[in-house]
Structure formats: structure tokens, C-alpha cells
Amino acid sequence: MSFSDRFANVFKRVLPAPFTIAVLLTLLTFLLAFFITRPEDQGAGAYTLQLLEYWEDGLWNSPLLTFALQMMLMLVLGHALALTKPVSAIIQAGTRFCTNTANAAALVTLLTILVSLFNWGLGLIFGAIFARKVAEHAAARNIPLNYPIIGAAGYSGLMVWHGGISGSSLTKIAEDGHIKSLMQGVMSEEQIQQLPNSIGFDQTVFSTMNIIISLALIVLIPLGMYWLGKKSKPGKIALRQSMMKTTEQNVSPVGAERLDHSKLFAILFGVLILGVAFYKAFIKPDDITLKFITPNFINLVLLGLGIALHLSFTNFLKAVDSAISGAAGILIQFPLYFGIMGIMKSSGMVTELSQFFVSISNETTYPIFTFMSAGLVNIFVPSGGGQWAVQGPIIVQAASDLKLLLPKNILALAYGDQVTNMLQPFWALPLLGITGLRAKEILPYTLILFLMGSAIFIVGLLIF
């Protein structure tokens, strides 16, 4: 059995379906809370019912459900934008430079990383479509290619996205009042008042540490994939059916249907949406800062671009139909993670865990512990938003107790969350569907991406 087969079999034996993982984590959290936090004067039955109430309160937490919808829209609108003709043309033009595995792996990795730093949903689908187009280009011209490496390169954006402008935790903490709202019931009112009202992108995404780490990723990861492509053995490309749907118009509209297919109407409406976004970001504020970049703002821009570039509402809605299935995991799994957070916050487990990390950490080691723990949690909670909901209160509490820089430690969580996406095939499902590859074919190469990325993140956290 080859290394890739053994590696894939390990995941198959250890990890069930992501929804099952969320259920198992819910049960594990419930048991831990029961045995760790149950007051001595409260009976087992009464406390069990209490924990179930905590779970239900978290499950339907209104602000967190809003967050889930924001993340779904990012994925769907990013996917829809990737299916527009201008973006598709850019991808098609890029395939001309993919004359061998090494060149293709480096170029796909570079462009996927750059796009993913802008938007994770767009980056995921862009990388998948680019990898597919490279394979089609090579097959049509009889160019020998190691297709699984190209597929792994198309997935590389999920290793950098959380440090970009669509990062779940980074966009949420930029919202006014989110941090204080997150810590309600966890910290005392006096402690909550000492927390910042928000942490803008100038302290996270565009901080010196994150910019330098991002530049290192942009340069070193494509170079590493180029070297890997040089060392690999190309093979015959057997393309399977792609799941990507077309958005071409196939009907002759009549009557009011002309509005559905009108280019002018779609462009005007898309530009109007972009104008609102521009006004909100650069004209309305008295002082222009980066705080305008929130989930709602990102989705507003993606909506405007998607409608305008698809050139009709019909094309745009067809693209949304193609993209919507990729958001199913967020829709059904996020509430379970919110239920886990409800148990952890209301039972006091957050305080217990934060005190543990405080007891074994100092200013230098805590970001590294945060990075490692976030990476481990992401294997079982493959969602940056869900992970922030669970781990965010722990990080805020511990950073407050240790008098640490909160932005750096939130970035440490973001780095740990994103790097182990290279080991967790959950978010690769859209890519696998588009490319026709199997998880076991790309996992050996995403493991190498994981090792390279981990080295860059750890060195960056230690230096800064």
C-alpha cells in the first residue's frame, strides 16, 4: 500500500462525517462540563437538565446565527463571483504558463493564496476551477502532469484565508461591541468594560506581524510547490465529470422576462450596490479607518461584483444555485458548535480552561499554545467561525489574565485554525467535486503544505 493510501486510510478510520464529529464533540463537551463544573450541592439530574438548557440557549443564539448566515453568504457569493466570465477569463489566461507540473503548481498556489487573502470562499472555488482548467489544458495538449499536486495547490488558499480580510474571527472582532458581547457571562462586568470595543484590521490583518507572515507565505509556499512539482512524477490525466454548472443564457426572453436577462439592469444594480459600499467606507465616516471591513461589508461588495459581472440576474442566480450546496455544512453544523459554546460559557468551562493555559504559559509560550490548540480543535471543528465561537472566550479571558496582546493571540488562533485545513478534507469537498480528484490523492501533498505553513507561522509568532 502506498503512502497516500495509508494516509487516507488513517483519516477514514479516525474521522467520521463532519456532522457526526460535531455531534460527538457536543456529547464530549456535555460530559466534561458535567464532571468538571457540577456544583457539589446540585444533584446529577438537575444539573443535566441545566446543561441541556445551556446547550439549547447556545444552539439558537441570535447573534451567532447571524454570524452563520454571514459566513454562508461569503462562501456562496465568493463561489458565484468565481463563475463570472471575467474571473474565468483570468483563470483561462493563466493556464498558458502551465507547461509542466512545477510551473503549474507554483502558479496555481500563488494565485490561489492571493485570492484567498481577499475572500476565502472565492479563493476556494477559484483554486478548484484553476486546477481543473490546468488539467483540461494539459490533457488537450498532451502535457505530462501530476494532477493531484495541482489539486493540492488549488486547496492551498485554505491555509492562509483566516489571516486575510474575510477571516471569521478577525472580521467579527472588528465589529463594534462583539468582543464585549462574546464575554457576557464569562467575565465580570468590570473586566468586560476594560476590553476593547473592537479590534480593527490595522491591528490584525494589516499588522506588521501578519503582513510579514503573509508575504513569507506568498513567496515560500509557491516555491515549495515548484520544488515538489520538479521532484514528482507526472502521470496520465483522467478527468472525471465536473460538478461546475454553466451560467450561459439558453432562452429567448419575452415580456417582463427581459428584465431578468437585461445586462444594463444588472450592471446598474450591481454598480449601485458597489456605490453604497464605497460611500459607507470612504465618504460617510469622519475618519477613514479599516473598521468598515466587516462580514456585512465584504458580502455587500461580493454581491455587487457578482451581479454586475454576471451581466444578468438570471446568470447570477444560476451561479448561486451552483454554489449553494457548498454552504450546507455551515447551515447545519454551525448551530451545533454554538450549542457547544453555550455549554462551555454558561457552565464555567471557559474559565477552567483559560486558567489552565494561564498556569502553564507566559508571554512567549501562550501564542504557541494557542496556535497548537487551535490546530487540534480545527481537526474536529472544521469551521473558523465555529472555532472562534468556542475558543474565542478562552483566548480573551487568558490574554486578559496574562496581560497579553489580544490581537496577536487572536492571530495565533487564526493561524492554527487555517493550517490544519491541509489535514482536514472537509473544506476540500467543493474542490474535489470540481476537479474530480479524490481526497486520498491530494492529502500527501497537502500534508507537505501543512508542514511548510506550520514552520512559517511558528517562526513568525516567536519573532514578533
Side-chain angles (χ1 to χ4, degrees), residues 98-105 131 133-139 142-150 232-237:
C98 300
T99 55
N100 53 55
T101 301
N103 289 346
K133 291 294 185 182
V134 167
E136 291 175 351
H137 172 83
N142 294 317
I143 299 174
L145 199 71
N146 187 317
Y147 190 24
I149 289 182
I150 308 305
S232 69
K233 183 178 180 181
K236 184 178 180 181
I237 300 174

Side-chain angles (χ1 to χ4, degrees), residues 67-77 324 327 330-331:
F67 177 47
L69 180 59
Q70 289 170 327
M71 294 302 107
M72 289 176 63
L73 283 169
M74 275 193 195
L75 178 59
V76 172
L77 293 174
I324 195 69
I330 296 177
L331 173 65

Side-chain angles (χ1 to χ4, degrees), residues 7-17 20-21 24 379-380:
F7 192 60
N9 284 338
V10 168
F11 274 87
K12 187 178 292 185
R13 288 196 300 268
V14 173
L15 296 178
T20 305
I21 292 172
L24 292 174
I379 293 292
F380 300 98

Side-chain angles (χ1 to χ4, degrees), residues 139-324:
R141 292 161 179 76
N142 294 317
I143 299 174
L145 199 71
N146 187 317
Y147 190 24
I149 289 182
I150 308 305
Y155 190 46
S156 61
L158 268 289
M159 188 176 68
V160 306
W161 75 276
H162 209 152
I165 64 174
S166 69
S168 303
S169 62
L170 309 186
T171 55
K172 288 308 292 183
I173 64 174
E175 293 183 351
D176 287 336
H178 171 74
I179 298 175
K180 294 181 178 180
S181 174
L182 183 73
M183 301 309 293
Q184 290 291 335
V186 178
M187 303 173 74
S188 68
E189 284 300 321
E190 183 179 351
Q191 290 176 310
I192 290 175
Q193 293 307 314
Q194 295 176 359
L195 295 173
N197 194 49
S198 65
I199 298 177
F201 274 23
D202 56 327
Q203 299 179 67
T204 54
V205 177
F206 299 110
S207 65
T208 301
M209 181 183 78
N210 193 56
I211 288 175
I212 292 177
I213 288 177
S214 297
L215 288 174
L217 292 167
I218 290 170
V219 173
L220 297 178
I221 300 301
L223 286 176
M225 291 299 284
Y226 179 87
W227 174 83
L228 192 61
K230 279 286 189 183
K231 297 294 182 180
S232 69
K233 183 178 180 181
K236 184 178 180 181
I237 300 174
L239 290 173
R240 303 181 184 90
Q241 180 65 34
S242 174
M243 291 177 64
M244 189 172 62
K245 301 177 184 178
T246 181
T247 60
E248 294 293 329
Q249 298 181 11
N250 297 314
V251 297
S252 297
V254 295
E257 287 182 347
R258 292 190 178 93
L259 286 177
D260 302 333
H261 297 267
S262 170
K263 292 183 179 180
L264 179 61
F265 194 21
I267 292 173
L268 286 176
F269 189 66
V271 170
L272 175 63
I273 293 173
L274 294 174
V276 172
F278 182 83
Y279 169 78
K280 182 179 178 181
F282 300 109
I283 298 177
K284 182 180 179 180
D286 295 329
D287 298 315
I288 298 177
T289 66
L290 297 174
K291 290 184 178 182
F292 67 85
I293 305 178
T294 65
N296 289 337
F297 179 83
I298 292 171
N299 285 329
L300 187 67
V301 172
L302 290 174
L303 178 64
L305 287 174
I307 292 175
L309 295 181
H310 272 294
L311 301 179
S312 77
F313 296 148
T314 298
N315 284 349
F316 174 71
L317 292 176
K318 286 182 179 180
V320 170
D321 284 341
S322 296
I324 195 69

Side-chain angles (χ1 to χ4, degrees), residues 1-10 13 440:
M1 184 181 291
S2 67
F3 168 76
S4 62
D5 288 335
R6 289 197 299 270
F7 192 60
N9 284 338
V10 168
R13 288 196 300 268
K440 72 175 186 178

